[in-house]
Amino acid sequence: MNEQAAEGTSASSGAASSSTCVVTERWVDRVAVVSVAGVVDMLTSPQLETAINGALEQGPAGVVVDFTDVEFLASAGMGVLVAAHDKAGSDVSISVVADGPATSRPLKLVGIADILSLYPNLDEALAAHTA
């Protein structure tokens, strides 16, 4: 099992708040699982984009983006998902693990759930890719 991790902490200059996002990648057979923890916003979404693009470059059968441990999902993160869907085309299916008000609700409200498959947990997402 190949596993890579990238950590990043960014803070807005002069602001007391900070955005922390940890993105890891692992493979289950030919499916890339990009797991994200923390906050996905305009400061941290480039990490997510880099991880998904890196996985797509390796020619996976599918990509699962796991937002189980995401506390906040901003529009920048949702934009990364749409761009990844467009980049993957019809050759690679991309699905998202999102359950709860911080992730699945915004994805449904803005219509991303209409173009990407959403699953409540990683096991169901992986099962859909191997079916």
Side-chain angles (χ1 to χ4, degrees), residues 1 4 38-39 43 48 55 58 61-62 68 84 99 116-117 126:
M1 178 166 63
Q4 301 168 342
V39 174
L43 297 174
L48 175 60
Q58 296 180 52
T68 300
D99 191 27
L116 296 174
S117 298
L126 288 172

Side-chain angles (χ1 to χ4, degrees), residues 70-73 78 98-109:
V70 169
E71 301 161 6
F72 177 75
L73 177 61
M78 291 185 257
D99 191 27
T103 54
S104 68
R105 188 168 188 268
L107 291 170
K108 291 174 184 174
L109 284 173

Side-chain angles (χ1 to χ4, degrees), residues 57-81:
E57 288 171 5
Q58 296 180 52
V63 176
V64 175
V65 180
D66 186 356
F67 282 158
T68 300
D69 294 323
V70 169
E71 301 161 6
F72 177 75
L73 177 61
S75 60
M78 291 185 257
V80 168
L81 294 176

Side-chain angles (χ1 to χ4, degrees), residues 8-101:
T9 304
S10 303
S12 301
S13 58
S17 65
S18 66
S19 297
T20 302
C21 180
V22 177
V23 179
T24 58
E25 175 187 342
R26 68 183 175 104
W27 289 77
V28 178
D29 296 323
R30 293 199 54 239
V31 177
V33 178
V34 177
S35 298
V36 187
V39 174
V40 181
D41 60 12
M42 66 181 226
L43 297 174
T44 61
S45 62
Q47 288 176 255
L48 175 60
E49 183 176 28
T50 299
I52 294 173
N53 287 340
L56 287 172
E57 288 171 5
Q58 296 180 52
V63 176
V64 175
V65 180
D66 186 356
F67 282 158
T68 300
D69 294 323
V70 169
E71 301 161 6
F72 177 75
L73 177 61
S75 60
M78 291 185 257
V80 168
L81 294 176
V82 172
H85 174 264
D86 292 345
K87 182 175 183 175
S90 61
D91 296 336
V92 180
S93 70
I94 298 179
S95 58
V96 180
V97 176
D99 191 27

